[in-house]
Amino acid sequence: MSLRRPANPGSEPRVLDVEHAEAALMEHYARLVRLVYVTLPRGPGRHRRVLAAHGVVQRALPRRRLVVPGRRRARSARQPGSAEYTALRTRVLRASLAHESRSARLSRARSMLPAVWGLRLFPQSGGAEEMALDRALAQADWPVRAAVALLVLDEESPEGAGGVLRAIGMSEPEGAVLTARRLVEQGRPAAEGAPDAGTGAPVTALLAPEFDPCLLHARPTDLLRRRHRVRSAATAALVAGCAMVTALALPDGTTGPAGSGQHGPASAVDAQELRRTPPEAWADTARVDFTAWPARGARTGDRDLLERALRAWSDPDRRVRRSVEPGAASTGTGRPPRLLFAGDVDDRAVVVLHDDLTTVRYSEPLSGDGPPELVSALTEGADVTTAAALVVSRSTDAVRLLLAPWIAEAGTRDLLAPDTAVRGLDSSDSGVTDPLPVPSADGDCGTWPVVQLRSSPRIVEDHAFLLTDLGGLSPAHLTYMPPPEPGVRPRPPREATGPAALEGWARAACRLDGLRGESVRAVNHWVFAQQELPERAGRATWVCARADTWRGRGRVEYLFLGPGIGGARPAGVRENTAECSRFGQDVVAGIDWRAPSGASYLLAAGSRSLTRVQASAPVRAAADGRFLAVRASRGADAQVSGRGTGGAEVHGPR
């Protein structure tokens, strides 16, 4: 698919009437909607993102006139390079940028979106490449997403993309354009010692139907809730009418017999319509995730239990204690979900469902009057490791896991004791494990239990990995990246089961406590630098611990590990960033450090490709290369930065 690039505007502004702008909008409507759709935040979900993209473009027309840059040569308003198209593109991108503000989204959400009743709209589901690209764009900041869209969809040059971003209001778009170019380049070797950029999806996937908000699929919304509301309204009207007739018919204000009770909602999706995967499908499929789980447990044939779970999932008004993890749906889509498990665990009956992008655990007490509970979690894009286990039972100090059918071995270990052996973890025929201790939530980090799993050789050879409980329905996957080695091309994050990985995680494990309840999918421990300390005090290790959430956004914490075996010191945090991923390879961090002699220093270190590191007020210093060590007053809070690939400036966390 070839798209023509809009030409660069001239310098003399001119005024165009609305009719010309409308002609350009109608001609390039699909292009503009796709441009906005790619740049919008991922949090609200695909349905609302589709509606928001159309709403932004439909409101792009000015009411009276449109001021646009002049041209040396007149063009038709129907051409992509016309002044009208350029001005409309600036308007829609500026509106898309406004959606990054949560308060703006909430205040405009209902008034600005096109109205769609009874249907949920979403583009065609893509393959692995499209899913990987969408996750990468979700991790990127808005300027990077916009630059990628301009480079790929409008085939702008890097200079042209920067000019468009400046027109929107960005003062220094060079960094965003540089990051976007890395995404666009295919097969580029990663910087040594950084996450492998060559494993990402081709950005030409932006041209696929997955990213076309004008080529849509439609599904009904919650049919049960709608039917219940219609019946409730009709019943209320009927009762009101009967009451009026009775009042007129009966003398002296006497009343008729009392009603016999309330009508409950009709059944949700019938239990017989639940999707069930054949028991051995996981061993012969290219998609090893929750869709490959068979239905297991002793109560998979208990229709009453299954329909109670379905009603709880379909009807948000039912008296069920709900817990919705960040980014997850709170109710069903109307399509029959997939049954993963139904059985008794501890003192509760448990049903686990997979409803397309969301995994749901319903439970009810086997005896007593306690309320049912329902937990829903976003699990879109799960794989052989992140779909390897689910929490089916939780107490104050332990959990039981439901293991995937491809797990051949399970054990536990203490992440703070890397030299201890793995202890076996038994599980039932249905895949439910014995109780597994969880990390203490009271701030006492004396131990950090993790589970070590090994996949069946029927799908992958000799593959062991670590999962840890962070309070969610799905445990988080722990990975590791060793320090860079000269002349050795880096690999993507590897499993954290080797000696070096376990020793590194032993010093950083307690920092995981700050990630509880954040719907974390995976945490990578990247050793991006090792620095020789002043006064021959030994070698320090710099780590970027990146936590990727199921929503796509990432949180990074920079850690400083001094000589010895002590715990890691925090050196700064960044929220909602692509740093320390394959799309944010250039990083730098700094910290104050006290030498054994008592002298205080400001230390800073950057990743492999940095060529210069510097510090600003209150400490002013600079050094060529990746490292900086300078005498400073104790506790000096200096801002550090560096010069990365192509001369781009990289700022450390404050």
Side-chain angles (χ1 to χ4, degrees):
M1 178 177 180
S2 177
L3 301 176
R4 289 172 290 175
R5 184 177 71 245
N8 292 326
S11 58
E12 297 181 1
R14 59 194 180 99
V15 177
L16 302 176
D17 58 24
V18 178
E19 286 75 12
H20 286 89
E22 182 180 13
L25 181 92
M26 295 302 296
E27 177 69 15
H28 306 298
Y29 181 83
R31 177 198 297 268
L32 291 168
V33 172
R34 187 190 288 241
L35 197 70
V36 175
Y37 181 80
V38 170
T39 60
L40 284 173
R42 269 55 177 168
R46 292 193 295 172
H47 171 77
R48 293 187 65 82
R49 186 151 55 108
V50 165
L51 298 184
H54 284 273
V56 164
V57 176
Q58 290 173 16
R59 289 184 299 275
L61 277 180
R63 293 187 177 182
R64 296 180 179 178
R65 61 181 185 175
L66 186 65
V67 179
V68 299
R71 298 281 174 181
R72 291 189 178 92
R73 181 166 57 92
R75 290 175 181 254
S76 167
R78 297 170 61 89
Q79 291 181 304
S82 68
E84 292 83 358
Y85 175 83
T86 301
L88 289 170
R89 182 178 62 180
T90 301
R91 289 172 66 90
V92 300
L93 288 177
R94 189 175 289 128
S96 171
L97 175 59
H99 276 255
E100 286 291 291
S101 167
R102 184 175 183 272
S103 59
R105 292 199 304 272
L106 292 177
S107 64
R108 303 178 189 177
R110 296 197 176 275
S111 61
M112 295 178 67
L113 298 181
V116 178
W117 297 96
L119 290 174
R120 294 192 65 81
L121 306 176
F122 51 91
Q124 175 178 318
S125 297
E129 290 183 350
E130 288 76 15
M131 292 175 63
L133 176 59
D134 199 48
R135 286 197 298 269
L137 292 174
Q139 294 171 2
D141 295 332
W142 185 91
V144 177
R145 296 199 299 268
V148 169
L150 292 167
L151 293 171
V152 177
L153 299 180
D154 272 6
E155 293 187 347
E156 283 282 1
S157 66
E159 294 77 14
V164 175
L165 295 179
R166 284 192 187 89
I168 295 169
M170 291 188 60
S171 59
E172 297 180 354
E174 291 79 11
V177 174
L178 181 62
T179 303
R181 289 181 64 186
R182 292 179 186 154
L183 284 171
V184 173
E185 294 172 3
Q186 299 182 34
R188 184 182 64 83
E192 193 168 338
D196 190 354
T199 60
V203 179
T204 52
L206 280 181
L207 304 177
E210 165 76 5
F211 295 96
D212 188 351
C214 293
L215 183 62
L216 300 171
H217 291 269
R219 291 288 185 273
T221 55
D222 190 345
L223 298 176
L224 170 67
R225 196 190 326 170
R226 286 161 49 195
R227 180 168 56 185
H228 180 45
R229 286 175 177 172
V230 171
R231 288 185 176 181
S232 298
T235 301
L238 179 61
V239 169
C242 290
M244 182 177 293
V245 172
T246 302
L248 292 173
L250 296 177
D252 302 326
T254 59
T255 61
S260 58
Q262 295 180 338
H263 292 284
S267 292
V269 178
D270 192 284
Q272 294 181 342
E273 297 179 7
L274 283 168
R275 291 177 285 169
R276 301 178 186 235
T277 301
E280 294 298 315
W282 61 269
D284 189 25
T285 179
R287 184 176 178 181
V288 185
D289 58 13
F290 290 114
T291 63
W293 281 40
R296 292 174 292 170
R299 301 185 67 173
T300 55
D302 189 335
R303 181 169 180 173
D304 291 341
L305 172 63
L306 298 180
E307 291 193 347
R308 287 195 297 273
L310 287 169
R311 284 195 295 270
W313 174 229
S314 301
D315 186 357
D317 299 325
R318 293 185 66 82
R319 294 182 178 178
V320 176
R321 183 182 300 163
R322 292 178 178 270
S323 176
V324 181
E325 296 187 11
S330 58
T331 59
T333 61
R335 183 185 181 191
R338 189 181 310 276
L339 177 62
L340 305 186
F341 176 83
D344 296 341
V345 182
D346 295 329
D347 57 348
R348 301 183 72 86
V350 178
V351 177
V352 181
L353 306 171
H354 182 249
D355 194 357
D356 296 328
L357 308 181
T358 307
T359 301
V360 181
R361 184 189 70 215
Y362 169 85
S363 67
E364 61 184 30
L366 295 176
S367 60
D369 299 327
E373 298 180 355
L374 187 141
V375 178
S376 61
L378 181 66
T379 54
E380 179 185 11
D383 56 23
V384 66
T385 56
T386 51
L390 292 169
V391 175
V392 289
S393 176
R394 181 182 296 279
S395 64
T396 304
D397 55 1
V399 296
R400 289 184 188 266
L401 299 179
L402 177 64
L403 301 180
W406 57 83
I407 297 303
E409 298 178 14
T412 64
R413 69 184 314 149
D414 182 3
L415 203 56
L416 298 182
D419 296 330
T420 58
V422 178
R423 300 182 299 275
L425 179 64
D426 294 333
S427 60
S428 68
D429 293 339
S430 300
V432 178
T433 68
D434 289 348
L436 171 70
V438 297
S440 174
D442 59 6
D444 179 18
C445 191
T447 64
W448 194 277
V450 296
V451 60
Q452 181 166 317
L453 305 178
R454 185 177 299 276
S455 300
S456 168
R458 297 174 66 182
I459 60 171
V460 62
E461 293 185 7
D462 195 25
H463 178 225
F465 53 96
L466 298 184
L467 301 179
T468 188
D469 177 68
L470 292 177
L473 181 59
S474 174
H477 179 208
L478 301 182
T479 56
Y480 172 78
M481 284 195 64
E485 298 180 23
V488 177
R489 189 178 186 276
R491 297 188 301 170
R494 61 193 68 179
E495 302 303 345
T497 53
L502 292 172
E503 290 176 4
W505 266 115
R507 302 184 65 183
C510 293
R511 305 303 304 176
L512 293 170
D513 189 66
L515 300 175
R516 293 179 189 268
E518 296 298 323
S519 189
V520 174
R521 170 181 177 163
V523 187
N524 183 41
H525 180 103
W526 175 30
V527 181
F528 66 87
Q530 290 184 315
Q531 181 179 17
E532 297 296 332
L533 296 174
E535 304 183 12
R536 299 182 179 180
R539 175 179 291 185
T541 298
W542 292 87
V543 171
C544 181
R546 177 179 175 83
D548 285 302
T549 67
W550 288 99
R551 292 164 289 169
R553 288 299 183 99
R555 173 189 186 272
V556 301
E557 182 175 29
Y558 292 93
L559 303 175
F560 176 82
L561 282 63
I565 58 174
R569 286 183 58 196
V573 174
R574 282 270 174 81
E575 302 282 353
N576 300 330
T577 179
E579 288 181 15
C580 305
S581 73
R582 64 177 179 267
F583 307 112
Q585 303 172 24
D586 294 341
V587 299
V588 64
I591 198 169
D592 66 290
W593 174 77
R594 190 174 185 182
S597 66
S600 296
Y601 289 83
L602 172 67
L603 304 179
S607 52
R608 174 74 182 190
S609 60
L610 263 64
T611 59
R612 185 174 176 82
V613 177
Q614 59 190 24
S616 56
V619 180
R620 297 187 180 277
D624 292 333
R626 302 168 54 204
F627 303 108
L628 175 68
V630 60
R631 290 287 296 269
S633 59
R634 189 173 184 182
D637 184 20
Q639 175 67 52
V640 299
S641 60
R643 186 180 302 154
T645 305
E649 192 170 5
V650 181
H651 295 279
R654 192 77 187 233

